[in-house]
């Protein structure tokens, strides 16, 4: 039988692991709900984020379009465009500023 302190430690470890698996997010620039994450990354060549089990990496952007590599596949997103299906996820563009790109990633 586990001692009370070990039970508490085991319960806390299980809770942290459960939350991490539930959200599927592992970056400071990712904000997730149950099935969807909003990712905000810098507009620089090496910017990337891990989201819902895949990596999203910035490639390039202009005023209306951003190019990303998501789950190993290069995609282009345009403001107002419907979500693009890639790697079992739906990816859509939220905003492009001079410094950042923000996009949504959701499970199908």
């Amino acid at each position: 039988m586990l001692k009370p302190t070990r039970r508490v430690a085991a319960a806390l470890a299980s809770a942290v692991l459960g939350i991490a698996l539930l959200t599927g997010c592992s970056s400071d620039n990712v904000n997730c709900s149950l099935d969807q994450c909003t990712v905000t990354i810098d507009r620089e060549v090496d910017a990337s984020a891990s989201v819902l089990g895949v990596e999203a990496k910035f490639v390039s952007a202009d005023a209306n379009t951003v190019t990303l590599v998501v789950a190993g596949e290069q995609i282009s997103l345009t403001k107002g465009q419907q979500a693009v299906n890639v790697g079992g996820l739906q990816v859509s563009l939220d905003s492009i500023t001079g410094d950042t790109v923000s996009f949504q990633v959701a499970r199908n």
Side-chain angles (χ1 to χ4, degrees):
M1 181 158 193
L2 291 176
K3 293 182 179 181
T5 51
R6 286 190 181 172
R7 255 189 246 146
V8 170
L12 286 174
S14 295
V16 169
L17 179 61
I19 290 170
L21 291 173
L22 180 65
T23 62
C25 300
S26 64
S27 300
D28 291 337
N29 52 348
V30 179
N31 184 13
C32 293
S33 62
L34 185 59
D35 293 342
Q36 180 175 322
C37 297
T38 300
V39 181
T40 303
I41 56 176
D42 293 333
R43 281 182 67 167
E44 56 186 53
V45 177
D46 293 330
S48 66
S50 178
V51 57
L52 297 175
V54 300
E55 182 164 358
K57 185 173 182 176
F58 176 78
V59 175
S60 65
D62 61 26
N64 294 314
T65 304
V66 63
T67 302
L68 305 169
V69 173
V70 178
E73 220 176 296
Q74 186 167 311
I75 60 170
S76 291
L77 303 172
T78 304
K79 285 183 182 177
Q81 171 189 359
Q82 288 187 333
V84 172
N85 290 315
V86 60
L89 301 170
Q90 293 184 332
V91 184
S92 60
L93 181 61
D94 276 347
S95 66
I96 303 173
T97 69
D99 297 326
T100 63
V101 173
S102 181
F103 54 97
Q104 297 270 331
V105 180
R107 291 190 173 113
N108 284 333

